[in-house]
Amino acid sequence: MRRRDFVTVAAATTSAVVSRPTSAAAGSSIGFALGSGALHGWAHIGIVRGCVRIGLQPFAVAGCNVGAVVGALWAAGLSVDEIVRIAHRLDWQPSGGTLALLMGGRRRNDALREEIDRAVRGRRIADLPLRFAAVASDARTGQSVILDSGPVGLAVEASCAAAVWNEPVRVGNHELLDGSLTAPVPVEAVRRLGAQRIVAVDVAYRPYEEAPSSASDYAFQAMHILTNALAREQTRQVEHLIKLDVHHLMRERLDVAKLIDAGEAALMQLAPVLMQN
């Protein structure tokens, strides 16, 4: 078994940073796999800010769900401040809520796609400064699909298409739903982009973070038990793992600044290892 080193990042946020010995040659390319987590994904912006702070330019970025949103903007070369401004404009709640679902059925998330395409100035994935991919799930086959070409906004929309709230997004022959159903932390995707050292960032809700009390709570809990189990398996052999428990920072009031700070603090703990040749 490979040695694992766990480090507590900050008293206010339960976090673990795991680095495993690697045989990668000096100068090997670093890729980030930004995981799903809805509003927890503000912490991904802290990861970006930490990389800017230490002068680390990744070779590739792959994202799932909210990780695809932040990853696409990062890969497009946007500044941290620009990413924050765009994130504030995004509506992460299903349009119209339960009533809209019952009356009108599922919706396309056109607003998200359009916002991303505006932010990246209409560029396609192949035209971005950094290699990028988003992951989604094929609704017909159950397979994970890596989207590493085509329109950026469409790839992000597919990766974020919640199975209950959103219609599947058609890309080629695929009908795609939320990437977290098959690849909540997209390690395989960033490896396929050519990265040799992977930093996996897992910001998902943990089942132990809030006790369920209703039928809907237990359904939510069951989904995240499965998501966390899949994420553990997919990150088992990754070179570097940042795992953040941040749900308490939004339980009563969403604290965006603290979520971003938590991501940055975690990255800074890992910085000495990442900057080694």
Side-chain angles (χ1 to χ4, degrees), residues 198-209:
I198 310 301
V199 182
V201 186
D202 181 0
V203 298
Y205 168 82
R206 316 293 172 203
Y208 51 74
E209 290 185 291

Side-chain angles (χ1 to χ4, degrees), residues 27-264:
S28 61
S29 302
I30 293 176
F32 281 78
L34 305 182
S36 62
L39 289 169
H40 294 187
W42 283 96
H44 287 318
I45 301 177
I47 297 294
V48 179
R49 193 168 71 185
C51 286
V52 172
R53 180 175 168 186
I54 65 174
L56 175 63
Q57 177 81 323
F59 173 77
V61 180
C64 175
N65 189 273
V66 67
V69 175
V70 176
L73 301 176
W74 191 10
L78 275 67
S79 70
V80 172
D81 288 343
E82 288 172 319
I83 295 173
V84 169
R85 283 196 294 271
I86 292 166
H88 274 297
R89 292 201 295 267
L90 297 176
D91 182 7
W92 294 108
Q93 302 304 317
S95 178
T98 303
L99 181 61
L101 177 65
L102 293 175
M103 295 181 64
R106 296 169 298 176
R107 298 286 195 273
R108 284 287 299 269
N109 198 345
D110 295 326
L112 172 62
R113 184 187 72 251
E114 292 166 0
E115 186 70 51
I116 296 297
D117 279 334
R118 279 194 298 270
V120 305
R121 302 192 299 277
R123 286 174 291 179
R124 298 171 75 83
I125 291 175
D127 300 323
L128 300 180
L130 298 181
R131 296 190 182 192
F132 171 72
V135 296
S137 305
D138 191 304
R140 296 173 186 250
T141 68
Q143 298 298 308
S144 181
V145 176
I146 298 172
L147 302 169
D148 59 358
S149 63
V152 179
L154 185 65
V156 172
E157 181 189 14
S159 188
C160 294
V164 175
W165 298 105
N166 298 121
E167 293 179 3
V169 176
R170 176 170 285 279
V171 178
N173 295 324
H174 300 286
E175 296 284 341
L176 298 178
L177 292 171
D178 191 340
S180 64
L181 297 172
T182 53
V185 185
V187 172
E188 180 183 357
V190 77
R191 285 206 192 281
R192 288 196 184 184
L193 292 175
Q196 298 173 29
R197 295 168 60 194
I198 310 301
V199 182
V201 186
D202 181 0
V203 298
Y205 168 82
R206 316 293 172 203
Y208 51 74
E209 290 185 291
E210 195 159 333
S213 59
S214 66
S216 61
D217 286 348
Y218 278 100
F220 181 83
Q221 193 83 337
M223 177 182 70
H224 283 88
I225 289 171
L226 294 172
T227 298
N228 277 266
L230 183 54
R232 283 194 300 272
E233 184 61 32
Q234 293 179 335
T235 61
R236 191 178 300 279
Q237 297 299 321
V238 76
E239 288 81 4
H240 311 290
L241 172 62
I242 295 174
K243 187 174 182 179
L244 289 161
D245 294 353
V246 293
H247 189 67
H248 63 285
L249 298 177
M250 55 173 289
R251 185 176 291 117
E252 296 180 0
R253 179 182 65 86
L254 176 63
D255 196 326
V256 167
K258 287 186 178 179
L259 284 164
I260 295 174
D261 287 347
E264 182 179 11

